[in-house]
Amino acid sequence: MYLLNVNTQQLEDIHEWRPYAILSHAWRVGETHHFHDVGTESVRIQPGYEKVEMCCELARQDGLDYVWIDTCCADANSSAARTETAMSAYTWFQQAQVCYTYLDDVDGSEDPREGYSTFRHSRWFKRAWTLQELLAPKHVFFFAKDWTMIGTKGGLSSVISSMTGIHKDALEYPERVPRFSVATRMSWAKGRMSTKEEDKVYAVMGLFGVNLPILYGEGETKTFLKLQNEIIRTTDDQSIFAW
């Protein structure tokens, strides 16, 4: 596995588990930094790279030597690497020491609990991939567009629950997520957005502990039927039929 060294900002091929931080965010157009660019001089002046630098700085402050950042640490040009990343993403977030969530459309001077706060309306909460990035890690810290810390998942669990419909217990105790019925977990994913329609399905595989071959072009409906069949094969939870 590849991790980004916070001191050198170079990728390292790690063959044994090391403590690491992880970044959750949403790339803007033109911001995505790919595996083969990381560590080069040119990448440091590209749009959005400050997210990588700030993630490294926060990890350093927390006494961690490594971070994992989606496209930076997995080779997007390799279909095998893309598949492995999609299948293991939930585990990556679950095993991280801490998750830094950067919300570039949130005002750090606001109270996130206020009804009209930008936190409550951040596009991050609507992403398909957000669901696992929110639920899997035990410790999640939210940062505004100026990198002001907004709060933690635990401290804001009531606010997030009211926004998303996700039960507070699932937010505060990640280990309890599998105890919720299949239908309940499915409801948390309803209405989420992704660039590729199949990703609406692939983004929730980790919530049900199943894996599917990553294939694009089949459409959301066909991919979702495959997910349902795999869940039925691995659980006796009848609520999936109600869903």
Side-chain angles (χ1 to χ4, degrees):
M1 64 180 181
Y2 284 91
L3 292 173
L4 186 64
N5 186 302
V6 301
N7 297 303
T8 65
Q9 291 184 29
Q10 298 281 339
L11 289 169
E12 294 184 14
D13 189 3
I14 307 296
H15 297 285
E16 58 185 29
W17 187 85
R18 303 283 180 84
Y20 62 90
I22 202 164
L23 177 67
S24 177
H25 66 113
W27 292 116
R28 293 284 185 179
V29 175
E31 282 188 347
T32 309
H33 303 301
H34 296 293
F35 180 80
H36 294 288
D37 298 325
V38 176
T40 65
E41 286 300 317
S42 61
V43 77
R44 295 175 184 266
I45 60 173
Q46 292 179 11
Y49 192 74
E50 70 275 4
K51 296 179 186 179
V52 177
E53 293 181 316
M54 284 302 300
C55 180
C56 288
E57 177 58 29
L58 290 169
R60 222 178 355 252
Q61 292 175 13
D62 285 334
L64 298 169
D65 295 323
Y66 295 98
V67 298
W68 189 87
I69 304 173
D70 51 30
T71 60
C72 295
C73 296
D75 187 357
N77 293 326
S78 164
S79 59
R82 288 199 305 271
T83 296
E84 174 61 26
T85 300
M87 288 183 172
S88 60
Y90 194 91
T91 302
W92 275 108
F93 278 88
Q94 191 175 46
Q95 294 184 350
Q97 300 297 104
V98 59
C99 174
Y100 308 124
T101 298
Y102 177 64
L103 308 177
D104 66 0
D105 55 358
V106 172
D107 187 339
S109 65
E110 296 178 342
D111 182 348
R113 296 169 180 82
E114 292 296 327
Y116 293 98
S117 69
T118 50
F119 178 81
R120 286 179 175 270
H121 295 90
S122 174
R123 68 191 181 110
W124 183 83
F125 286 103
K126 296 295 185 182
R127 294 167 63 245
W129 293 104
T130 285
L131 192 55
Q132 63 179 6
E133 296 169 13
L134 176 63
L135 290 175
K138 184 172 181 60
H139 303 291
V140 178
F141 292 83
F142 293 101
F143 294 86
K145 58 186 175 183
D146 61 354
W147 289 95
T148 300
M149 186 174 147
I150 304 165
T152 66
K153 178 172 70 167
L156 293 169
S157 61
S158 294
V159 176
I160 298 170
S161 180
S162 69
M163 292 159 49
T164 62
I166 300 171
H167 198 285
K168 277 186 63 178
D169 271 6
L171 293 165
E172 295 176 0
Y173 307 100
E175 68 276 8
R176 296 183 185 177
V177 169
R179 301 181 190 177
F180 288 87
S181 71
V182 170
T184 298
R185 282 175 277 169
M186 286 286 190
S187 72
W188 299 339
K190 185 179 180 180
R192 294 184 174 274
M193 299 178 294
S194 63
T195 304
K196 297 178 179 179
E197 56 181 304
E198 295 87 354
D199 280 340
K200 295 177 185 178
V201 179
Y202 297 141
V204 299
M205 293 189 298
L207 267 69
F208 302 103
V210 300
N211 281 317
L212 297 173
I214 308 301
L215 299 171
Y216 292 105
E218 293 189 328
E220 180 183 355
T221 300
K222 186 174 181 179
T223 308
F224 183 68
L225 287 172
K226 288 183 177 180
L227 176 68
Q228 284 183 309
N229 288 332
E230 190 62 20
I231 293 172
I232 291 168
R233 193 182 67 81
T234 57
T235 182
D236 57 1
D237 184 342
Q238 300 297 304
S239 71
I240 189 172
F241 297 107
W243 178 258

